[in-house]
Amino acid sequence: MNRAFLPAAGAAFVKSLLVATLAVSGLVSANEHAPAPAKADAAKGATLYDSGDAARGLAACASCHGAAGNSTIADNPKLAGQFDVYIHKQLIDFTTPKRKQAVMTGFAKMLSDEEKKNIAAYLATQTPKAGAAKNKDTVLLGKKIYRGGIPATGVAACASCHGANGNGIPVQFPRLAGQHQTYTVTQLQNFKEGKRENSVQMTTLAQRMSTKEMEAVADYIAGLK
């Protein structure tokens, strides 16, 4: 009985293996001929950024974030030179409970994913204008936190993720150099209070910082180039 069974079982196994192999081959072949993802169009992104889309009630991004992403409003971030992947992710996060901001949530939901990528591609190519530290009394504290963290409370050095000069690390961590003090402090407070939930690392670090420490490091960041 065993002798009769084994050849039959072997044949069935070979047949199933052959079917699986053909299925995988077909899948690989299909993937080889699948169209490549569309490349982001910075020119289209520039048009949306500068002019918006009146037909949809979509305001121009420039009205809040300034020409070429160089915001002059302290509450609104400078976006010029920011990594495209980071901007795209934030625009997606605004459509979820992870990042709550009434104005940006409304606009982000109007944009298709392609439009989000186009705007991000445009901003990534723009030249950021320098900022400046304003409070000479706290700049040394800010520098100490940015470069060395706060060992007593387990706050890591900002530079370890965002770079010595605040230029960030593509894909992983955003560029911070020259950012408005007010905006940076607001985001740190949002992380601390759970109003912004799209970075576990930043939530943990912000919860260990005092308002004074946030203000000092934000001021130091504003002067980085």
Side-chain angles (χ1 to χ4, degrees):
M1 187 168 99
N2 288 341
R3 290 180 181 178
F5 174 75
L6 287 174
F13 173 75
V14 171
K15 182 178 179 180
S16 63
L17 183 62
L18 180 60
V19 170
T21 301
L22 290 173
V24 171
S25 298
L27 180 60
V28 171
S29 178
N31 286 337
E32 286 176 349
H33 294 90
K39 186 176 180 180
D41 191 326
K44 289 182 178 179
T47 298
L48 263 181
Y49 184 88
D50 291 332
S51 305
D53 186 347
R56 287 185 285 169
L58 181 65
C61 310
S63 62
C64 290
H65 295 287
N70 283 294
S71 165
T72 58
I73 303 171
D75 288 325
N76 299 333
K78 297 178 181 179
L79 301 176
Q82 187 58 269
F83 303 127
D84 54 352
V85 174
Y86 179 77
I87 293 176
H88 177 244
K89 179 183 183 299
Q90 299 311 303
L91 287 172
I92 292 174
D93 286 351
F94 278 123
T95 67
T96 74
K98 293 181 180 179
R99 191 164 183 189
K100 308 174 185 71
Q101 211 282 342
V103 175
M104 282 306 305
T105 291
F107 290 145
K109 287 183 176 180
M110 292 184 193
L111 296 169
S112 67
D113 192 60
E114 180 182 354
E115 289 171 331
K116 290 180 175 70
K117 289 180 179 178
N118 291 345
I119 291 172
Y122 165 68
L123 287 167
T125 64
Q126 302 311 297
T127 302
K129 292 183 179 180
K134 299 176 181 178
N135 192 339
K136 60 182 177 59
D137 296 326
T138 64
V139 70
L140 289 179
L141 173 60
K143 180 179 181 179
K144 183 178 180 181
I145 294 171
Y146 189 87
R147 295 189 176 185
I150 312 172
T153 55
V155 174
C158 311
S160 63
C161 291
H162 297 286
N165 297 314
N167 290 318
I169 299 175
V171 180
Q172 294 178 295
F173 305 107
R175 183 181 189 282
L176 299 180
Q179 190 57 265
H180 293 305
Q181 291 93 330
T182 300
Y183 176 76
T184 300
V185 171
T186 297
Q187 295 313 302
L188 287 170
Q189 290 175 336
N190 285 346
F191 279 123
K192 184 173 186 174
E193 297 168 9
K195 295 178 181 178
R196 180 173 173 178
E197 302 175 286
N198 64 342
S199 171
V200 175
Q201 300 98 315
M202 285 307 306
T203 294
T204 300
L205 295 174
Q207 288 174 344
R208 299 171 180 174
M209 296 178 72
S210 67
T211 299
K212 180 183 177 181
E213 291 165 340
M214 291 178 183
E215 291 173 346
V217 77
D219 193 50
Y220 179 73
I221 285 169
L224 289 174
K225 297 176 177 62

